[in-house]
Amino acid sequence: MSDPSSWLAVLQSGRWFSQLAPALSASLMDMARVRELSPGEALFLRGQPPCGLYALVKGSIRISGLGGRQGESREAVLTLLEPPGWFGEISLFDGSPRTHDAYACEPSVLLQLPQEMLLAWLARHPQHWRDLALLMADKLRIAFVAMEELALLPAPQRLARRLVLMAEGYGQWRESQLSRRMIDVSQEQLSMMLGITRQTTNQILRDLQERQVLQVHRGVVEIVDLAALRAACQ
């Protein structure tokens, strides 16, 4: 199992971690424990007690939940996390059970900051609670935007906006102008994230492909023209 410090460059590529005070970032690395997950393995499940803060440094994690009547439950995918994503801070603040499930989509490596250890450190350094609050505020902003889009925008615009967000790392990269050409997401995952049918998702992607905005591969969406994809968000 690798040394947490070997993943420091990945963490520093993220906007939140790169802006932390040296004392805080060094302490987080000292507390970190490496976790490795196989595809389909659960990191935690809804209702389980809080187990700390996580940083994803390799692979991808699906945050989702099941709902509906007994025997007819459906999965709703909130997001697909990629490096250098931090998550788990809600239960750090309120001490309540996990609100959703977290599964590895592929072989994944995470750094875990155990709950009790991190809380004890923050009790001695309470000025750094604000840094954790900023991490949570970023997620809240994205959630509010998604709720507004769900209520106001048609499916084609919502899908285009989600792909742009994913291509730009949900705004979490230190270099704000960076973007990614290949997005590891399937049509089924997109449909579950946006609350639309697989057929509708396929139709929207096919239209964007015919307009040479993107190319759809098995489990991957390739962004051919990011400017045109941004225009499709309007």
Side-chain angles (χ1 to χ4, degrees):
M1 191 169 290
S2 59
D3 183 344
S5 63
S6 66
W7 300 102
L8 186 58
V10 177
L11 297 178
Q12 289 177 334
S13 70
R15 178 169 52 84
W16 181 75
F17 187 85
S18 67
Q19 295 175 352
L20 295 179
L24 176 55
S25 58
S27 295
L28 294 181
M29 294 304 297
D30 288 342
M31 286 182 270
R33 305 289 184 267
V34 176
R35 291 280 306 274
E36 297 182 4
L37 297 180
S38 302
E41 186 176 354
L43 178 64
F44 54 74
L45 300 175
R46 172 182 283 173
Q48 290 185 339
C51 46
L53 183 67
Y54 291 93
L56 178 62
V57 292
K58 179 183 178 181
S60 60
I61 296 290
R62 182 178 82 252
I63 305 296
S64 62
L66 290 175
R69 294 181 297 180
Q70 188 174 7
E72 299 179 4
S73 61
R74 294 169 51 193
E75 182 181 21
V77 177
L78 273 69
T79 189
L80 296 177
L81 298 174
E82 296 187 343
W86 289 81
F87 63 102
E89 69 279 0
I90 293 177
S91 291
L92 182 69
F93 274 87
D94 63 12
S96 297
R98 295 297 186 188
T99 58
H100 293 86
D101 305 329
Y103 287 95
C105 300
E106 57 186 294
S108 300
V109 179
L110 305 102
L111 302 185
Q112 178 186 14
L113 282 69
Q115 182 91 351
E116 296 305 321
M117 187 181 298
L118 182 52
L119 287 174
W121 189 89
L122 287 167
R124 300 191 300 271
H125 306 85
Q127 69 273 22
H128 290 300
W129 271 109
R130 182 179 183 276
D131 296 288
L132 277 302
L134 290 175
L135 182 63
M136 189 163 59
D138 260 355
K139 310 278 183 62
L140 191 59
R141 285 181 180 274
I142 293 173
F144 279 158
V145 170
M147 290 168 60
E148 181 181 17
E149 291 177 353
L150 182 62
L152 300 178
L153 295 181
Q157 289 174 290
R158 297 208 320 270
L159 187 145
R161 285 176 180 244
R162 182 57 64 98
L163 289 177
V164 169
L165 271 176
M166 296 177 75
E168 296 176 345
Y170 288 95
Q172 297 305 305
W173 293 330
R174 183 176 60 185
E175 301 295 334
S176 60
Q177 302 304 313
L178 287 179
S179 64
R180 177 176 53 198
R181 183 181 179 94
M182 309 298 287
I183 302 176
D184 295 321
V185 63
S186 68
Q187 294 188 40
E188 183 178 9
Q189 289 169 333
L190 270 176
S191 67
M192 288 190 289
M193 280 193 283
L194 297 169
I196 57 180
T197 66
R198 173 82 177 270
Q199 181 181 11
T200 299
T201 301
N202 180 268
Q203 290 173 343
I204 297 169
L205 290 174
R206 189 165 60 242
D207 176 66
L208 291 170
Q209 183 167 271
E210 290 173 355
R211 291 157 54 188
Q212 300 184 342
V213 176
L214 52 77
Q215 287 288 329
V216 179
H217 309 286
R218 185 177 179 84
V220 176
V221 174
E222 178 184 0
I223 308 300
V224 176
D225 189 337
L226 183 58
L229 185 61
R230 288 196 184 104
C233 297
Q234 307 302 316

